[in-house]
Amino acid sequence: MTADPHAHPLAVSSDAPPQEADLAATPSLDFEHPAVRAFVQQHAQGDSPRARVMALYLAVRDGFRYDPYRIDLSVAGLSASRVIDNGYGWCVPKSALMAAVCRAIGVPARLGYADVRNHMSTERMRQTMNTDLFIWHGYAEVWLGARWVKLTPVFNIELCEKFGLLPLDWDGEHDSLYHAYDQAGNRHMEYVNERGSFQDMPVSHIVADFKRVYAGWEALNDSGADFDRDVQAETSDQRR
């Protein structure tokens, strides 16, 4: 992954130790919301902070379907609590949920963003976006042990099984980043640009860049299309 030569003005140093802001609730990382609190109480199980983060990672990854067709670019629409209310999300809000629940249990957490070349997408997405480059791909960063660890609890296990992807597990120690290849050895995900680490979601910048780069994104939102159905249809065709 290459670093952005033009550092984002809101980004913080990737190796900076935790600060008070890395534990604070924000409109995007709204862990004081009753739904988020209930989720944490249910899933933050374990006898150490690391064990509780690992349990939360799986709960966020598999408890909410990945759905890039239904995107709300408002502050509320990108928040941690909205993922719980909806029961689904895409990389940006699901990573916000991961960071929020970590802060809720006293583990410092931030948000990280990168541009990725996604070799796994539906035909509808490719036609709408006119590119396989996904800007502002989101992941979470947590402070464990004495360093920041990257976590990507985005693709739920059912989606991985349908698409033939390697599940993105986390061992509690090393970075959890998308696999470069799928189960069949085909290209899957390529990190091409690192945007940096953020103590809160830079919503206005994400929205402005999405509207500039993806002119047809709102049409996809309004199409009424079903991501799971498209995945099922395309993977069925591939198996014939």
Side-chain angles (χ1 to χ4, degrees):
M1 189 190 306
T2 60
D4 190 337
H6 306 291
H8 195 284
L10 299 181
V12 296
S13 173
S14 60
D15 57 357
Q19 302 175 25
E20 187 175 341
D22 297 316
L23 287 168
T26 73
S28 298
L29 308 181
D30 55 345
F31 63 77
E32 295 177 342
H33 188 284
V36 181
R37 286 188 175 278
F39 179 83
V40 171
Q41 184 174 9
Q42 179 181 359
H43 295 289
Q45 305 299 319
D47 56 4
S48 69
R50 189 182 304 273
R52 289 190 284 275
V53 173
M54 292 180 72
L56 288 167
Y57 176 88
L58 292 177
V60 172
R61 188 192 73 177
D62 296 333
F64 306 96
R65 292 181 298 104
Y66 173 74
D67 190 341
Y69 282 10
R70 294 185 285 179
I71 291 179
D72 180 349
L73 293 179
S74 67
V75 173
L78 294 169
S79 67
S81 62
R82 183 61 61 86
V83 178
I84 296 177
D85 289 344
N86 287 341
Y88 62 83
W90 51 295
C91 63
V92 171
K94 285 193 71 172
S95 296
L97 176 58
M98 187 71 231
V101 296
C102 287
R103 290 185 181 187
I105 63 170
V107 174
R110 307 185 305 200
L111 297 168
Y113 299 96
D115 299 336
V116 298
R117 196 165 301 282
N118 184 2
H119 299 270
M120 184 285 296
S121 63
T122 64
E123 182 62 27
R124 192 187 306 274
M125 289 187 70
R126 291 187 289 272
Q127 291 179 354
T128 300
M129 298 172 65
N130 293 315
T131 180
D132 61 357
L133 183 67
F134 284 49
I135 62 172
W136 287 102
H137 157 66
Y139 53 89
E141 297 180 343
V142 298
W143 182 266
L144 288 173
R147 69 181 187 91
W148 292 101
V149 180
K150 296 179 173 63
L151 304 180
T152 313
V154 176
F155 289 164
N156 52 292
I157 190 67
E158 294 86 359
L159 178 68
C160 292
E161 292 171 351
K162 289 179 182 178
F163 251 129
L165 304 178
L166 294 167
L168 193 51
D169 296 321
W170 180 49
D171 62 4
E173 181 178 356
H174 301 93
D175 291 341
S176 166
L177 296 173
Y178 282 135
H179 299 290
Y181 298 91
D182 64 13
Q183 293 181 15
N186 301 313
R187 290 302 302 268
H188 172 210
M189 199 74 70
E190 178 185 359
Y191 290 81
V192 298
N193 177 55
E194 186 175 2
R195 289 182 177 265
S197 305
F198 297 76
Q199 292 173 318
D200 196 9
M201 187 185 298
V203 174
S204 62
H205 297 272
I206 294 174
V207 172
D209 284 348
F210 265 56
K211 290 184 176 180
R212 175 178 55 83
V213 175
Y214 304 129
W217 196 272
E218 291 181 359
L220 180 60
N221 265 0
D222 297 336
S223 68
D226 186 295
F227 179 69
D228 284 348
R229 188 178 299 122
D230 281 359
V231 170
Q232 186 64 47
E234 293 190 25
T235 52
S236 296
D237 289 343
Q238 294 168 4
R239 287 193 290 267
R240 290 174 184 169

